[in-house]
Amino acid sequence: MADSAYAVIGGGLVGMAIAWGLANRGKQVTVFDEGDRGFRASRGNFGLVWVQSKGLNMPDYSRWSRLSAQLWPKLSEELGNVSGTDLELSQPGGIHLFLDEDEAEKAVADMEKLRAALGGDYPFEYLGHNAVKRIIPEIGPEVVGALHSPMDGHVNPLYLLRALHTGVRDAGAKVLHGPRVERITHTKDGFRIHREDGVWSADNVVLCAGLGNARLAPMIGLDAPVVPNRGQVIITERVRPFLNVPTAHVRQVGEGAVQIGDSKEAAGFDDSTSKNVIAKIAHRATRYFPLLENVRVVRTWGALRVMSPDGHPIYDKSQTCPGASLVTCHSGVTLAAAHAKVLAGWICGEDAPDYMEVFGAQRFALQKAG
Amino acid sequence: MSERFDVAIIGAGPAGLAAAGVLGQAGCSVTLLDEQAEPGGQIYRGIGSASGPRKSVLGADYAAGASLLPSLAHDSVTHIAGATVWEVTPERDIYYSQAGKASGLKAEHVLVATGATERPMPFPGWTLPGVMTAGAGQILLKTAGMLPPSPCVLAGSGPLLFLIAAQYLAAGFKIDAIVETTPRGNLAKALPHLPGALLNNKYLRKGLAMLASLRKAGIPHYKASTSLVAEGDGQVEALKFTSGGKPHRLACASLLIHNGVVPNVQISRSLNLDHAWDSLQHCWHPVTDASGATSLAGFRVAGDGGGIAGAEAAAHGGRLAALAILEDLGKITGGERQARSSDDSAALKWHGRARPFLDALYAPAREFLEPADSTIVCRCEEVTAGKIREFVDLGCLGPNQAKSFGRAGMGPCQGRYCGLTVSSVIAAKLGKEMDEVGYYRIRPPLKPITLRELASMDLDDDADERPAA
Amino acid sequence: MRNVLHFKRLDEASGDTVELTFEGEPVTARAGETVAAALLAAGHISGRQTPVSGSPRGPYCMMGACFDCLVEIDGEANRQGCMTQVRDGMVVRRMTGARDVDRGSAA
Ligand SMILES: Cc1cc2nc3c(=O)[nH]c(=O)nc-3n(C[C@H](O)[C@H](O)[C@H](O)COP(=O)(O)OP(=O)(O)OC[C@H]3O[C@@H](n4cnc5c(N)ncnc54)[C@H](O)[C@@H]3O)c2cc1C
Ligand SMILES: Cc1cc2nc3c(=O)[nH]c(=O)nc-3n(C[C@H](O)[C@H](O)[C@H](O)COP(=O)(O)OP(=O)(O)OC[C@H]3O[C@@H](n4cnc5c(N)ncnc54)[C@H](O)[C@@H]3O)c2cc1C
Ligand code: FES
């Protein structure tokens, strides 16, 4: 008998959500994760549970994100119960502030197009300066307007990761931290997971190794053309509550600190910060909220997104190595609920939304050919 | 855009001042940045302004610091006082804030001379107002001529603990007790290093003289004390501990604690320089050669920031680093450097002789490296040792995952007073070496700055280049 | 909360004095010393309550490393008292928990 029915490779938000979903379905799961300093987008992200503007070119991705946002309260409650941690989920609607009329106009046009593609079921509105001010009195004079969507919210992503680690163990799964998985081999009686410190067998493998997927996927007949995309983020000292809705670039976290993001840069595997980008992010934040000027910045950081060529998730099952699947995405906070509640079921053969196959990696071959 | 210098020195203690002297004399353009209002570093705090009586209380070693101040007189040396360095990039751009305004400069060579901080000494009650480090007590004496309220108890281990007691005594102030936590077994472990130390017995003689003066003054000295607990409602009122097999409780209005000093590695860590664990000094230090050269070209470290060796050694180290920089800048030849380095090299070696004995003798007690579960280890975020152990049970193999699980090290001090403890709690629980467990990833800013200051560094007016959503 | 236990000055007579206030109460300090030192000499051992649990804290390291000496100075929240020199007329206040976002600089 194999060491486990499912080997999940990667203990970030994606791997842990899948592992939790599998373990709660009674599957015997082992998670393989790296140690303290692995690249981990799950440790450096912005914490938004965000639907607006997702899937502008792929309406099914928008549906999927929205489904996840709807499943989030249940996930939060369940994880809260097993871990005794309040994940600080709040979904009061989200605001995307604009400092530039043209930029705002273009964003509204994109959102209207998406709404049409979704048959009109896509709630959002554009608010002018004064209307935004009624929701957030603290905005500065340079804010021209904002997109507001009731679908959006935010959560404490670090507590989410911790709660998933607690929950996964609580559900009976094993988590093996240590050296990275070097190799995965497929034999007639299943899979072998090779690490520097041993070899484990599994009936099924789910690749959730973030940026590590690119190297591992071809070993088991999968394709994961993901590359790092750096985001830089600022966090301030704690302040008393002043901002009770999340905005796309500035939000106040549960402890009171103000988190300010973020950039999108191709910087290879360099997760350091750069002064120009951080200064620009800081500058933009003071234009959104001039009263933040005197608040102290405690830390800045860079983290690497796991980016597919079109920015959308890749969910795939191996044709050549049955039992192997791949789960990777850019918005692993937002999608955590869908991953745990729906995708884990899809992996073990349960019914799933009929649009799942649009997320297969073969779309990249088609895009290239076309 | 930013001013350029041959050399930027961060830290105006003995190491930085001595280096500035050598570089200034050679006509290099030097900027010496320090966040204190006055030069002198930790040991010579307030040296330029201390009154005669204050100097005599602090002793000859302190007064000797004044001899370093002429370094600042060279025309090519700019001392920027009150300048907190908050970021140093691998490209040798240095960002600092002075009176709420941020500036940047660029240097060909960077000398990090940021000295030491006191090793964390977590025990129940160490966060109560009125509990301070012995170094803080000394700084109050040096810069403000202040003495702590009585009854005053000193607790902990290390030469500095006795030095401050002796300095207080010279000021006519008798502390009420010394509660020494040096473990009983240390002496036996130190003895093999004694012959080496006898080759430079200056430190030993001074130490013994200090201890004798404290004994003569009749200050109660509790040895091998354990199980420290500071008690008080809103501020410290008493210290409880066990010594000689008996429990004790000493009332106190001030409690000064000390557990040795460790290199301040904030800048070297933020640059991801190579660091090594020193199992004798129980701390990390950046890996350097004899001239302070680090794993990154253009960066040198001198003084206690490179490994604890004391003030005089710091000055020698500063000069050695400066001479190496002069050679790199083409101002002197390799031969000249060697000739001019020999005195400082020899002196540095001599100062190092006494170290292993002192380090082994004053090796910190386990109780403070692996505190009990209920003890706060991260003062800023109030995270206990027990929480860190829970995170290890949840799979954390190092401090960075523990930090993201429970916020230890996320406060404004950036892990300065919990980093060593968190790593050692994890190492002990996993049965691993400190090197395997590692240290916090240090990120800018090294000290909090306002968003306005950060935004003021956005020098490029091109609005189109704003970061993407 | 005023503590009767003051830090004492060694050279009591010397030095120019500077007047500031802490929570509205007058404090006489010596020119050149830090706000944290001046408060300790005036018997104010704690200048803040933490934003995490509300527990009282006072200066711990006096060298700018621990951030337990934070106070509000001239309207600016969370300044390090041990790194700020006293000035005549300075208005110093206790930090109680997290700061307000708009406690701005006087500059
Ligand atoms: C700056 C920034 C802001 C973001 N903001 C948001 C947001 O607001 N909302 C949102 O929904 N998403 C956001 N994201 C994205 C989100 O963080 C990621 O989608 C999510 O964390 C990805 O999780 P993951 O588990 O796939 O990857 P990771 O977190 O990178 O985890 C991968 C894991 O796999 C392990 N691993 C890799 N290789 C191996 C191997 N060979 N063997 C064993 N283990 C391996 C790694 O150690 C790691 O633990 C943001 C990302 C960034 C960088
Ligand atoms: C509180 C304390 C008291 C001590 N007292 C004594 C004593 O009485 N006798 C003794 O022999 N040894 C004492 N020591 C040991 C001391 O480390 C050395 O004796 C000596 O000061 C080391 O010299 P240095 O030049 O390496 O560093 P330091 O003298 O420590 O100088 C470092 C300087 O760097 C500055 N600095 C640090 N970080 C930054 C930054 N980010 N931006 C700008 N400036 C920065 C600091 O303000 C400081 O002035 C003490 C140590 C401490 C921590
Ligand atoms: S007392 Fe530690 S920072 Fe001021």
Side-chain angles (χ1 to χ4, degrees):
Chain A
M1 212 183 88
D3 294 329
S4 44
Y6 285 84
V8 173
I9 317 298
L13 285 176
V14 169
M16 295 313 282
I18 294 293
W20 196 57
L22 290 172
N24 279 333
R25 285 171 170 79
K27 309 294 180 196
Q28 188 205 0
V29 178
T30 304
V31 179
F32 295 83
D33 196 24
E34 290 175 290
D36 199 48
R37 290 284 288 256
F39 289 113
R40 220 158 264 156
S42 304
R43 227 155 61 179
N45 67 69
F46 202 66
L48 297 177
V49 176
W50 212 247
V51 181
Q52 63 166 293
S53 79
K54 295 274 171 69
L56 293 175
N57 301 317
M58 193 197 246
D60 286 327
Y61 177 38
S62 174
R63 291 192 179 94
W64 180 238
S65 300
R66 193 170 175 196
L67 172 66
S68 194
Q70 284 160 351
L71 293 170
W72 244 106
K74 191 151 168 49
L75 177 75
S76 168
E77 193 196 321
E78 289 172 6
L79 282 175
N81 288 341
V82 287
S83 67
T85 307
D86 176 6
L87 302 192
E88 297 166 2
L89 175 70
S90 152
Q91 295 175 293
I95 295 258
H96 187 135
L97 298 168
F98 293 97
L99 297 165
D100 180 282
E101 299 274 6
D102 294 344
E103 204 190 325
E105 241 169 68
K106 183 177 175 309
V108 173
D110 285 347
M111 292 273 280
E112 274 165 355
K113 214 171 98 197
L114 178 57
R115 178 188 273 164
L118 290 165
D121 179 19
Y122 192 65
F124 76 88
E125 58 183 335
Y126 183 75
L127 308 171
H129 178 88
N130 291 337
V132 182
K133 214 171 167 76
R134 277 194 289 277
I135 303 177
I136 313 176
E138 290 79 9
I139 54 162
E142 289 189 70
V143 171
V144 296
L147 273 170
H148 174 263
S149 163
M151 303 178 286
D152 299 326
H154 59 160
V155 69
N156 183 324
L158 300 178
Y159 290 171
L160 168 62
L161 184 62
R162 189 179 86 195
L164 281 168
H165 273 270
T166 312
V168 160
R169 280 173 175 74
D170 190 71
K174 268 197 292 214
V175 185
L176 301 178
H177 295 271
R180 69 172 197 177
V181 170
E182 289 298 336
R183 230 154 28 91
I184 306 171
T185 48
H186 180 231
T187 62
K188 58 181 186 319
D189 53 343
F191 295 88
R192 296 274 180 287
I193 317 298
H194 301 258
R195 287 203 324 200
E196 197 183 280
D197 57 343
V199 181
W200 289 261
S201 60
D203 300 327
N204 301 278
V205 174
V206 193
L207 280 188
C208 305
L211 292 167
N213 289 327
R215 194 179 61 86
L216 296 172
M219 298 176 192
I220 42 178
L222 288 161
D223 183 24
V226 289
V227 293
N229 176 277
R230 183 168 71 184
Q232 298 188 43
V233 179
I234 297 172
I235 192 106
T236 72
E237 62 192 348
R238 295 173 191 237
V239 299
R240 298 214 171 115
F242 82 101
L243 180 62
N244 51 25
V245 290
T247 79
H249 301 112
V250 179
R251 71 182 192 104
Q252 187 167 23
V253 309
E255 289 87 18
V258 183
Q259 196 178 5
I260 303 169
D262 56 7
S263 59
K264 286 199 166 81
E265 313 152 62
F269 283 88
D270 175 1
D271 68 350
S272 59
T273 54
S274 69
K275 178 54 62 314
N276 334 351
V277 174
I278 285 289
K280 276 195 196 330
I281 293 170
H283 188 183
R284 185 179 61 186
T286 61
R287 295 170 72 204
Y288 291 145
F289 298 106
L291 83 184
L292 285 179
E293 280 201 331
N294 298 309
V295 173
R296 283 184 175 68
V297 172
V298 172
R299 187 170 286 97
T300 63
W301 68 82
L304 304 181
R305 295 188 186 84
V306 185
M307 204 53 101
S308 68
D310 58 8
H312 302 140
I314 309 176
Y315 305 137
D316 223 340
K317 291 183 180 172
S318 175
Q319 302 300 314
T320 51
C321 306
S325 45
L326 165 69
V327 180
T328 191
C329 72
H330 155 50
S331 289
V333 181
T334 305
L335 296 178
H339 288 167
K341 303 238 154 264
V342 183
L343 200 69
W346 173 77
I347 286 169
C348 46
E350 286 173 21
D351 283 346
D354 51 13
Y355 53 75
M356 284 324 288
E357 77 256 25
V358 305
F359 297 117
Q362 72 278 7
R363 72 179 186 269
F364 303 120
L366 296 177
Q367 281 164 10
K368 245 187 231 149
Chain B
M1 92 199 172
S2 51
E3 237 184 311
R4 284 176 165 269
F5 292 85
D6 291 334
V7 187
I9 304 175
I10 310 170
L17 285 170
V22 171
L23 294 163
Q25 195 179 35
C28 299
S29 62
V30 177
T31 177
L32 176 58
L33 299 143
D34 197 298
E35 61 180 328
Q36 301 297 337
E38 288 187 57
Q42 296 314 341
I43 172 151
Y44 307 131
R45 280 285 282 260
I47 188 69
S49 60
S51 63
R54 215 182 275 174
K55 276 188 189 151
S56 75
V57 159
L58 291 165
D61 283 348
Y62 175 75
S67 68
L68 287 166
L69 294 180
S71 294
L72 299 177
H74 295 290
D75 286 342
S76 64
V77 175
T78 316
H79 173 215
I80 311 183
T84 301
V85 172
W86 48 265
E87 182 166 0
V88 182
T89 74
E91 296 76 33
R92 298 179 311 284
D93 290 307
I94 295 178
Y95 297 93
Y96 64 95
S97 285
Q98 198 187 20
K101 210 181 148 294
S103 314
L105 59 85
K106 196 170 184 77
E108 200 77 12
H109 292 268
V110 176
L111 179 61
V112 180
T114 49
T117 53
E118 285 174 273
R119 183 197 308 282
M121 186 174 164
F123 63 91
W126 73 308
T127 53
L128 281 171
V131 181
M132 285 190 165
T133 69
Q138 198 193 33
I139 287 166
L140 282 163
L141 182 62
K142 287 174 183 171
T143 61
M146 273 184 201
L147 301 167
S150 298
C152 172
V153 173
L154 246 65
S157 178
L160 206 57
L161 191 73
F162 302 112
L163 174 63
I164 176 92
Q167 286 172 332
Y168 279 153
L169 207 54
F173 174 65
K174 203 173 125 187
I175 56 157
D176 293 84
I178 296 181
V179 176
E180 190 179 352
T181 60
T182 309
R184 209 173 280 292
N186 280 15
L187 184 60
K189 287 184 202 141
L191 280 177
H193 302 289
L194 185 60
L198 289 173
L199 294 171
N200 164 9
N201 61 16
K202 177 180 153 190
Y203 291 101
L204 298 186
R205 269 186 292 130
K206 275 194 192 164
L208 291 172
M210 262 184 330
L211 286 172
S213 76
L214 299 175
R215 216 172 12 246
K216 199 162 134 235
I219 296 174
H221 185 162
Y222 299 87
K223 296 211 171 130
S225 309
T226 58
S227 313
L228 272 63
V229 179
E231 292 181 334
D233 181 13
Q235 67 183 64
V236 66
E237 287 160 14
L239 177 69
K240 285 206 313 192
F241 59 97
T242 303
S243 175
K246 283 199 292 279
H248 299 267
R249 185 178 191 279
L250 302 177
C252 53
S254 51
L255 174 60
L256 305 185
I257 62 176
H258 180 75
N259 197 23
V261 295
V262 295
N264 170 1
V265 293
Q266 297 299 115
I267 291 178
S268 54
R269 282 284 180 188
S270 75
L271 285 162
N272 276 320
L273 304 184
D274 289 348
H275 285 71
W277 176 253
D278 181 332
S279 53
L280 204 51
Q281 294 199 336
H282 268 270
C283 60
W284 270 288
H285 60 79
V287 176
T288 61
D289 71 5
S291 74
T294 66
S295 54
L296 186 60
F299 286 90
R300 286 190 155 76
V301 177
D304 273 2
I308 303 302
E312 289 178 63
H316 295 299
R319 271 191 289 273
L320 288 173
L323 289 167
I325 291 172
L326 284 183
E327 187 191 342
D328 288 348
L329 287 170
K331 303 257 180 189
I332 59 173
T333 65
E336 283 170 313
R337 170 185 158 198
Q338 232 169 17
R340 288 179 61 186
S341 294
S342 63
D343 285 357
D344 287 304
S345 296
L348 200 57
K349 213 174 253 159
W350 186 77
H351 282 289
R353 291 234 161 87
R355 248 10 276 188
F357 177 74
L358 291 175
D359 293 337
L361 183 61
Y362 293 116
R366 242 191 147 64
E367 159 172 1
F368 309 112
L369 301 176
E370 299 154 34
D373 279 352
S374 62
T375 307
I376 286 179
V377 295
C378 168
R379 298 174 63 94
C380 298
E381 295 293 328
E382 303 185 42
V383 184
T384 62
K387 276 280 168 209
I388 303 297
R389 293 188 178 103
E390 271 178 38
F391 302 148
V392 174
D393 287 334
L394 262 188
C396 290
L397 300 182
N400 292 293
Q401 192 75 0
K403 170 173 157 186
S404 77
F405 276 1
R407 301 191 57 83
M410 285 195 180
C413 101
Q414 285 254 31
R416 283 170 175 84
Y417 283 104
C418 70
L420 279 167
T421 320
V422 168
S423 290
S424 71
V425 166
I426 295 173
K429 174 118 182 139
L430 292 171
K432 291 198 168 170
E433 299 297 322
M434 289 291 270
D435 263 338
E436 289 174 81
V437 167
Y439 195 70
Y440 289 138
R441 173 92 184 259
I442 303 298
R443 297 280 203 170
L446 298 163
K447 297 228 170 146
I449 52 166
T450 62
L451 201 61
R452 181 201 296 109
E453 288 169 271
L454 200 51
S456 76
M457 299 280 98
D458 181 12
L459 301 169
D460 151 20
D461 294 325
D462 187 358
D464 295 341
E465 268 195 41
R466 305 236 163 265
Chain C
M1 179 176 58
R2 203 187 151 86
N3 191 301
V4 286
L5 302 158
H6 302 206
F7 274 67
K8 300 161 287 236
R9 291 179 206 273
L10 178 63
D11 24 6
E12 197 60 64
S14 66
D16 298 338
T17 61
V18 165
E19 298 295 328
L20 47 132
T21 63
F22 178 65
E23 292 290 305
E25 275 183 56
V27 169
T28 303
R30 292 302 139 90
E33 72 189 15
T34 62
V35 171
L39 295 184
L40 289 170
H44 303 290
I45 279 196
S46 163
R48 74 176 193 121
Q49 286 173 315
T50 66
V52 180
S53 69
S55 57
R57 292 282 174 86
Y60 174 70
C61 73
M62 290 300 288
M63 57 178 281
C66 76
F67 295 82
D68 265 332
C69 60
L70 298 178
V71 283
E72 182 187 304
I73 299 177
D74 291 337
E76 199 182 334
N78 281 344
R79 296 271 310 265
Q80 283 178 292
C82 78
M83 299 297 286
T84 312
Q85 287 187 295
V86 292
R87 252 185 308 100
D88 227 6
M90 230 177 204
V91 177
V92 184
R93 305 195 68 92
R94 186 185 300 286
M95 289 298 312
T96 311
R99 62 173 289 176
D100 277 324
V101 69
D102 54 358
R103 295 304 289 183
S105 120

